[in-house]
């Protein structure tokens, strides 16, 4: 018999209206938004349900908004008795997995990710760094591409999302040269992304150090459910690993493909994406196909998708 994993989305999944119909129908979800509002002194229902988009997309708002929506939906799934044997999240989403595993209390986590967003935004002045998605290029070829462009500045792999879907990050000239080189090497598509900072590269190390100070002031417990970390694609075994892992995660590559492969090796055959969007399910579908594994995929973000997961609702 296979096992279930909960996975949580990262920044970029947000949209105005996310979580609203779940919160309208379930008290537990509404209470999660209220808890986040109290913790932050910010009306999270208004931000998530009504926007405006220009406020929601600010990194220091986006991160707590997505986390709150994910935890609100998680609370509803738990009411239905839906549980998991393992959990992970993409970048910001890792904080959802840590809340699920009782490493952090939700109120602490939502304050932490608001600061995380602020630190990440402030680490690199506007116009210095960018990110780009490289599609249809093998990992080895991409690494060759990156190495050949380092003469122009900092350029690094930010996200190994799925086979043929890798995101790079760094200084503007170096990333743009890597985009050009990737196409020459046979990439199907290579495009600069509309993001506000060059996330998950060494330029973000100052943000990690600021985050470390916040983490050191928090109550951290050992995980009750295995959490697969982004930075190493390994299972988090004890609470002493939490701070180093999350500090490293800010400025290192997100090893999402390796993380999912590890979960499949640990007999996970059902993945439930909890929060806005369906991006993780799309990544996992490609990873599983490449890994020759059959998996069940669900993305729970509204009442329709909840009913698909729970037919007897």
């Amino acid at each position: 018999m296979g096992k279930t994993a909960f996975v949580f989305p990262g920044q970029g999944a947000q949209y105005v209206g996310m979580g609203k119909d779940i919160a309208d129908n379930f008290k537990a979800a509404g209470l999660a938004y209220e808890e986040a509002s109290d913790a932050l002194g910010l009306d999270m229902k208004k931000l998530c349900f009504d926007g405006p988009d220009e406020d929601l997309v600010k990194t220091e708002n986006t991160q707590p908004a997505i986390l709150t929506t994910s935890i609100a939906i998680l609370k509803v799934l738990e009411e239905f008795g839906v549980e998991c044997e393992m959990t992970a999240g993409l970048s910001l989403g890792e904080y959802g997995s840590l809340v699920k595993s009782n490493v952090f209390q939700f109120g602490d986590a939502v304050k932490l990710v608001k600061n995380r967003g602020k630190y990440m935004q402030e680490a690199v002045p506007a116009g210095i760094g960018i990110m780009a998605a490289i599609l249809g290029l093998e990992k080895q070829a991409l690494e060759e591409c990156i190495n050949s462009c380092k003469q122009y500045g900092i350029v690094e792999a930010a996200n190994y999302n799925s086979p043929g879907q890798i995101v790079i990050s760094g200084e503007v000239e170096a990333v743009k040269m890597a985009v050009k080189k990737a196409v020459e090497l046979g990439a199907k598509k290579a495009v600069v992304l509309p993001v506000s900072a060059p996330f998950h590269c060494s330029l973000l190390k100052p943000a990690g150090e600021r985050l470390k100070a916040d983490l050191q002031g928090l109550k951290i417990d050992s995980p009750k459910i295995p959490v697969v970390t982004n930075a190493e694609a390994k299972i988090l075994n004890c609470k002493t690993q939490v701070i180093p892992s999350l500090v490293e995660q800010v400025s290192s590559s997100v090893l999402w493909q390796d993380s999912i492969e590890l979960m499949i090796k640990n007999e996970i055959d059902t993945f439930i994406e909890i929060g806005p969007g369906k991006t993780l399910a799309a990544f996992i579908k490609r990873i599983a196909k490449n890994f020759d594994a059959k998996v069940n995929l669900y993305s729970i973000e509204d009442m329709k998708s909840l009913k698909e997961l729970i037919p007897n609702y």
Side-chain angles (χ1 to χ4, degrees), residues 11-14 53 56-59 62 121 127 129-134 165 167-169 175-176 179 189-199:
Q11 192 165 335
Q14 74 280 351
D53 190 59
L56 185 60
V57 297
K58 291 176 182 174
T59 301
T62 306
Q121 190 63 60
I130 54 174
M131 300 180 77
I134 312 297
Q165 218 271 36
V167 176
I168 60 174
S169 182
V175 171
K176 286 186 175 178
V179 164
K189 194 175 183 182
V191 291
V192 172
L193 298 173
V195 295
S196 56
F199 302 129

Side-chain angles (χ1 to χ4, degrees), residues 15-70:
Y15 57 85
V16 173
M18 61 182 181
K20 186 178 187 304
D21 68 341
I22 293 239
D24 286 346
N25 282 276
F26 293 98
K27 184 178 179 181
L31 288 173
Y33 284 98
E34 290 171 19
E35 184 178 348
S37 298
D38 291 343
L40 298 175
L42 176 69
D43 189 339
M44 290 301 287
K45 283 186 177 180
K46 184 177 187 304
L47 178 65
C48 293
F49 303 166
D50 303 323
D53 190 59
E54 54 264 34
D55 288 342
L56 185 60
V57 297
K58 291 176 182 174
T59 301
E60 64 179 282
N61 290 338
T62 306
Q63 296 202 13
I66 291 174
L67 177 62
T68 300
T69 299
S70 292

Side-chain angles (χ1 to χ4, degrees), residues 68-79:
T68 300
T69 299
S70 292
I71 298 305
I73 297 167
L74 172 67
K75 296 297 183 187
V76 175
L77 292 177
E78 289 175 339
E79 282 195 344

Side-chain angles (χ1 to χ4, degrees), residues 96-118:
S97 69
L98 291 166
V99 171
K100 172 57 189 170
S101 193
N102 293 310
V103 172
F104 293 138
Q105 295 301 306
F106 172 49
D108 289 337
V110 81
K111 286 188 281 189
L112 190 64
V113 300
K114 184 170 178 61
N115 285 346
R116 178 180 182 266
K118 183 172 183 285

Side-chain angles (χ1 to χ4, degrees), residues 12 27 31 88 91 108 113 127 129 141 178 189 201 215 221 246 261 267 270 292:
K27 184 178 179 181
L31 288 173
S91 187
D108 289 337
V113 300
K189 194 175 183 182
C201 77
L215 284 161
D221 292 317
L246 290 179
E261 289 178 357
E267 300 181 337
T270 298
D292 199 25

